[in-house]
Amino acid sequence: TPSDTAQAMSAVAPGNGEVPDVSIVTVYYNRAHLVAESIRSLINQTERNIEIIAVDDGSTDGTVSALRQLDDARLRIITQTNRGFVASMNRAIKEARGRFIAVHGSGDWSHPERIARAGCHPSSSRTAWLSVAGGRSSRPSRGSQLQGSPSLRA
């Protein structure tokens, strides 16, 4: 819709010109008091070839302003009218370009080595990997079908 905008800063690690290995997706609604620390924990990841896709789901408390104060070429900010968590997360995933997707909770903090320790790099033989909530990583057992995606296997 016309009210939806994307701040399309470069979504790859500065200077390498490659598609990111990992897309970290996160959704915010009225989390101005948490967003800076949460996103900084992603910016400070030791794995540098990442993109961070932050969707603001119609916040009214200054969340968008707080997001826009964070200056990193790997951060893409998408603003939209309020559609709810699931629709917003689906939007973030649709925008993702990385080989792997990690989900980051809206007020969560991720350990600096969260992504690096998960082994998400081009040499990995995995075809799909998920990481969820609380800065903790998890992935399905090898060969298990990923719910909601009959074509994806871990």
Side-chain angles (χ1 to χ4, degrees):
T1 66
S3 64
D4 294 351
T5 60
Q7 180 179 347
M9 293 194 252
S10 173
V12 297
N16 74 6
E18 298 176 9
V19 172
D21 293 332
V22 180
S23 296
I24 304 172
V25 297
T26 186
V27 173
Y28 295 92
Y29 178 74
N30 289 341
R31 305 291 263 178
H33 62 292
L34 298 172
V35 71
E37 181 179 9
S38 183
I39 293 290
R40 277 191 202 106
S41 77
L42 302 176
I43 290 169
N44 292 328
Q45 291 294 301
T46 58
E47 173 59 49
R48 304 305 295 163
N49 192 15
I50 61 173
E51 70 175 343
I52 303 162
I53 301 171
V55 176
D56 176 77
D57 190 29
S59 295
T60 59
D61 72 341
T63 298
V64 174
S65 295
L67 281 167
R68 289 186 175 147
Q69 289 179 13
L70 300 165
D71 185 27
D72 191 283
R74 298 164 301 160
L75 175 62
R76 281 197 291 157
I77 302 165
I78 299 168
T79 60
Q80 63 185 28
T81 56
N82 185 263
R83 294 185 182 144
F85 176 77
V86 173
S88 299
M89 187 57 70
N90 284 339
R91 171 101 186 259
I93 291 169
K94 181 180 178 183
E95 298 283 339
R97 299 182 316 122
R99 182 171 175 217
F100 301 98
I101 294 175
V103 176
H104 181 79
S106 67
D108 289 350
W109 174 89
S110 285
H111 186 278
E113 293 183 2
R114 172 186 176 200
I115 301 301
R117 287 182 181 182
C120 299
H121 16 98
S123 62
S124 174
S125 62
R126 295 188 198 124
T127 56
W129 175 81
L130 299 175
S131 174
V132 293
R136 297 178 190 264
S137 299
S138 64
R139 62 183 162 93
S141 61
R142 193 152 215 34
S144 64
Q145 188 167 330
L146 301 175
Q147 286 186 330
S149 296
S151 63
L152 292 179
R153 293 198 169 275

